[in-house]
Amino acid sequence: MAEGDAVRVRGLRKRYGDVVALDGLDLDIRAGEVFGLLGPNGAGKSTTVEILQGHRSRDSGEVSVLGADPAAPDRRWKARVGIVWQDESAVTEMTVGETVRHFARYYPRPRDPAEVIALVGLEAKARSRVKELSGGQRRRLDVALGVIGGPRLLLLDEPTTGFDPVARRQFWELIRTLAAEGTTIILTTHYLEEAEALADRLAVIAAGRVVAEGPPGSLAGRAEARATVHWAGPDGVERSEETGTPTATVTSLARRFDGEIPGLRVTRPTLEDVYLRLIGQEDPR
Amino acid sequence: MTAADAAPPAAQPEPDGADGAGTAGGTGSDRERLPGAWQLGLLRGAMEIRLFFRQREQVVFTFAFPIVFLFLFASIFSDTMKNTGTTASQYYVTSMIASGIMSTSFQSLGISIAIERDEKVLRRLRGTPMPPAAYFLGKIWLVLVTGVLETAVLLAFGTTVYGVDLPSTAGRWLTFGWVFVLGITGCALLGIAISSVPRSGRSATSVVVLPFLVLQFISGVYILIDTIPNWMLTVGSFFPLKWLCQGLRSVFLPQAAAALEPAGAWESGRTALVLGAWCLGGLLLCLLTFRWKNRGDA
Ligand SMILES: Nc1ncnc2c1ncn2[C@@H]1O[C@H](COP(=O)(O)OP(=O)(O)OP(=O)(O)O)[C@@H](O)[C@H]1O
Ligand SMILES: [Mg+2]
């Protein structure tokens, strides 16, 4: 295992009955990295994350998480791994504060429960029973329980489902804070702008395999992709031209229009364009 | 303030690089002590008990159920039983104490653990460094507290309404003590074991209640022990409830009532043996069969 790898996966396979969920998946995630897993419903993201957590068995393949095989986790290893599942979680008669303080007691070096409650924006609800929380507030409690132990590695499966836009930004800040402290973070999401905002690197999974991997800005050749220059013709109809040299195109247009170019836009493929192409659902525009 | 509220002084998250990023394997600096199973068991017990009493409906029904049954049986069958110096009502007081002990241990654990498994409470706990023993210790505390309360309520009712006498000698109190502890432990372990049988939380109640009902019929809880067909009693005597009932009769009924027993005696030694065996066997069964996830969810 390379120095500084938090997670290393080779040839991971898993099937449920007849369904092949993972079909030879490889991953390398460096310590301290924020790593995003993207992929359509049923691609195998949750299965991957659950195997990394040690909560799901695998059929074959090598897996090393924080230097250990998650299939045989010990208590110290568990103390270093924080988990937020895609589907949580029991609704209890406990209050938010009681729940967070209770879970803090399981760990050798927990974070301050009050601080964690504030980090997920639940201060006002600290004395409410969990069953009285809204869906998004429950989800925030899940996140609080994932980080309460001060994990070295945090595994988040669609953590922001049900978050309102403010809560989402607050969550992004939390992730950046944790990343700045050196926490390795792996998260799955269906929100591409979230992946772009948070992840140092991304992997796109489809049908149980990694189909592309890289930083969001250059995933699958996105950085080198040809740009499209859009402008409005004299008749007001939009024109566009795909080009590898957009600056030259704009310069020549400027000369042609002798000054301002009406309706000028220069675009490159968005993460969504790249993503849709990768999973073979290209939007025929 | 309760145990769970008194959080330890929280360690600050370590500053960047102190021992984070570079050492993914992270061995050297993680030598701090993990909280112990016994201590966390107490913490969980305190929490389980608090949660139990927050569910008011559950509290009322848990405690009212055996009292209602005691009232029904003891009022319907109240004759003096010949040559025993005791009444059927008094017999039912001991029966219902036994049944109450089994319902707070076997039935409540069997159902609640199956539901917690289904609702992913167990999964969340498995994801923390909490030692599994702490979870079971917490359940045992809950069962002990509710079992003692249930027994106390039934005894209060039995002594005031049906003229049952509290044990008069230290020896009988001692017997009461070990019968209670061995009986409730054996039944609790059986409850933990049966919680792994239902496929989901929804089916847990039926899966757990049916064998409990059957056991109550063949162990002399609802039907007087001298009326049950011998072969049924033989089946019943493989399980702890029959011996729990018998042990409690030896504590609360006059010596002459031993004539009711098939053996004509209280058989204290055998009672201790069978209940003790269930504690050991139940523990083994739990260790071998306990599941943290629903069946088929690999
Ligand atoms: N417990 C299970 N039993 C049987 N099949 C399962 C189970 N869990 C997942 N699967 C199947 O495995 C495949 C991968 O599922 P997985 O949950 O890993 O997908 P995902 O990428 O997380 O999807 P989503 O975006 O919807 O969360 C799917 O075809 C799913 O139907
Ligand atoms: Mg998923």
Side-chain angles (χ1 to χ4, degrees):
Chain A
M1 185 164 140
E3 186 59 43
D5 266 1
V7 171
R8 184 187 139 97
V9 175
R10 285 291 174 279
L12 183 59
R13 283 170 205 281
K14 170 77 183 176
R15 53 194 305 161
Y16 302 99
D18 295 339
V19 180
V20 177
L22 296 179
D23 187 18
L25 185 110
D26 299 331
L27 278 180
D28 287 283
I29 297 167
R30 289 188 281 273
E33 189 167 48
V34 179
F35 194 88
L37 283 178
L38 302 178
N41 292 139
K45 303 180 296 297
S46 295
T47 302
T48 305
V49 171
E50 286 179 359
I51 290 173
L52 299 182
Q53 294 161 353
H55 283 268
R56 199 164 283 294
S57 64
R58 57 183 192 259
D59 296 340
S60 64
E62 271 173 60
V63 180
S64 164
V65 176
L66 297 182
D69 186 336
D74 68 4
R75 290 183 63 198
R76 288 188 190 285
W77 184 88
K78 285 182 179 183
R80 295 197 293 261
V81 177
I83 301 174
V84 176
W85 279 272
Q86 179 172 2
D87 60 324
E88 294 268 1
S89 82
V91 176
T92 69
E93 297 283 340
M94 288 216 277
T95 69
V96 170
E98 283 171 338
T99 309
V100 176
R101 284 193 295 274
H102 181 84
F103 276 87
R105 299 284 298 269
Y106 294 158
Y107 292 88
R109 219 168 24 168
R111 299 181 76 103
D112 176 15
E115 176 211 27
V116 168
I117 290 172
L119 278 174
V120 297
L122 280 179
E123 302 105 310
K125 290 285 173 188
R127 293 177 164 279
S128 305
R129 299 261 169 105
V130 174
K131 64 168 184 183
E132 293 159 359
L133 298 182
S134 75
Q137 289 166 342
R138 262 180 222 158
R139 200 70 191 131
R140 296 196 224 174
L141 177 61
D142 293 337
V143 173
L145 296 183
V147 304
I148 186 66
R152 194 77 56 77
L153 168 69
L154 186 56
L155 295 160
L156 304 147
D157 200 357
E158 298 189 27
T160 58
T161 311
F163 278 25
D164 64 44
V166 176
R168 187 178 302 277
R169 292 295 158 140
Q170 211 171 2
F171 172 80
W172 291 6
E173 276 318 302
L174 170 62
I175 293 301
R176 289 179 180 129
T177 308
L178 294 172
E181 288 168 6
T183 314
T184 308
I185 295 164
I186 302 176
L187 86 161
T188 76
T189 183
H190 288 296
Y191 300 102
L192 296 170
E193 82 280 12
E194 182 164 287
E196 189 151 31
L198 291 178
D200 300 318
R201 285 194 308 136
L202 294 173
V204 177
I205 299 182
R209 291 168 164 277
V210 174
V211 294
E213 193 178 334
S218 56
L219 191 72
R222 185 179 164 200
E224 300 84 46
R226 292 157 69 84
T228 310
V229 177
H230 308 257
W231 72 94
D235 47 3
V237 176
E238 181 171 309
R239 309 277 166 78
S240 65
E241 185 180 319
E242 214 185 281
T243 165
T245 53
T247 311
T249 309
V250 172
T251 311
S252 89
L253 278 172
R255 224 177 286 122
R256 174 132 55 98
F257 281 99
D258 196 16
E260 277 305 305
I261 309 164
L264 175 69
R265 277 186 306 130
V266 181
T267 59
R268 290 191 189 268
T270 63
L271 185 55
E272 187 162 327
D273 296 331
V274 175
Y275 172 80
L276 290 172
R277 179 163 56 71
L278 278 169
I279 63 165
Q281 301 286 319
E282 197 166 3
D283 186 28
R285 261 184 307 197
Chain B
M1 292 284 266
T2 48
D5 287 322
Q12 287 307 307
E14 64 221 34
D16 198 359
D19 120 293
T23 53
T27 42
S29 49
D30 269 336
R31 284 295 138 222
E32 69 274 278
R33 272 192 51 230
L34 289 159
W38 184 250
Q39 174 198 346
L40 289 182
L42 277 173
L43 182 75
R44 283 206 59 83
M47 191 206 63
E48 298 255 17
I49 291 164
R50 224 164 351 135
L51 288 186
F52 175 82
F53 284 105
R54 280 187 191 168
Q55 283 163 308
R56 195 133 344 121
E57 215 171 52
Q58 185 188 345
V59 175
V60 169
F61 277 88
T62 303
F63 289 121
F65 192 86
I67 292 181
V68 170
F69 267 64
L70 173 56
F71 172 75
L72 290 175
F73 278 103
S75 306
I76 298 170
F77 307 100
S78 60
D79 301 351
T80 305
M81 299 183 286
K82 58 179 183 326
N83 301 330
T84 59
T86 188
T87 63
S89 314
Q90 291 168 344
Y91 177 97
Y92 281 117
V93 173
T94 60
S95 288
M96 287 306 149
I97 292 176
S99 152
I101 288 172
M102 188 148 175
S103 89
T104 48
S105 52
F106 173 79
Q107 177 173 316
S108 78
L109 284 195
I111 295 173
S112 70
I113 295 178
I115 291 178
E116 289 188 346
R117 181 183 296 113
D118 203 32
E119 291 184 344
K120 313 285 166 76
V121 176
L122 296 191
R123 181 184 67 176
R124 161 128 304 281
L125 291 174
R126 277 299 255 182
T128 75
M130 180 204 75
Y135 175 76
F136 297 112
L137 282 170
K139 291 289 182 200
I140 302 252
W141 286 120
L142 172 68
V143 163
L144 277 179
V145 168
T146 50
V148 165
L149 280 177
E150 176 104 87
T151 305
V153 169
L154 281 165
L155 262 185
F157 199 66
T159 49
T160 51
V161 180
Y162 299 108
V164 168
D165 293 323
L166 289 179
S168 50
T169 65
R172 282 196 165 202
W173 275 109
L174 189 71
T175 309
F176 186 27
W178 67 251
V179 167
F180 178 86
V181 169
L182 289 182
I184 204 166
T185 310
C187 291
L189 290 167
L190 260 182
I192 295 173
I194 202 173
S195 77
S196 296
V197 174
R199 284 189 173 273
S200 76
R202 273 190 306 276
S203 56
T205 306
S206 352
V207 170
V208 174
V209 168
L210 180 68
F212 183 34
L213 264 177
V214 171
L215 275 185
Q216 290 182 97
F217 274 99
I218 65 175
S219 303
V221 170
Y222 297 146
I223 314 284
L224 291 187
I225 194 101
D226 61 351
T227 323
I228 302 171
N230 258 329
W231 67 268
M232 274 198 190
L233 209 56
T234 308
V235 176
S237 60
F238 284 102
F239 296 93
L241 185 59
K242 189 243 176 197
W243 301 97
L244 186 53
C245 291
Q246 195 164 324
L248 289 173
R249 283 196 292 273
S250 80
V251 172
F252 292 102
L253 299 189
Q255 185 58 45
L260 280 177
E261 307 296 334
W266 294 128
E267 300 181 282
S268 291
R270 183 171 288 184
T271 303
L273 208 69
V274 177
L275 291 180
W278 266 111
C279 292
L280 285 180
L283 184 64
L284 214 64
L285 202 60
C286 291
L287 291 176
L288 292 177
T289 61
F290 193 79
R291 289 186 290 117
W292 294 92
K293 303 206 272 184
N294 277 344
R295 234 181 307 167
D297 184 18

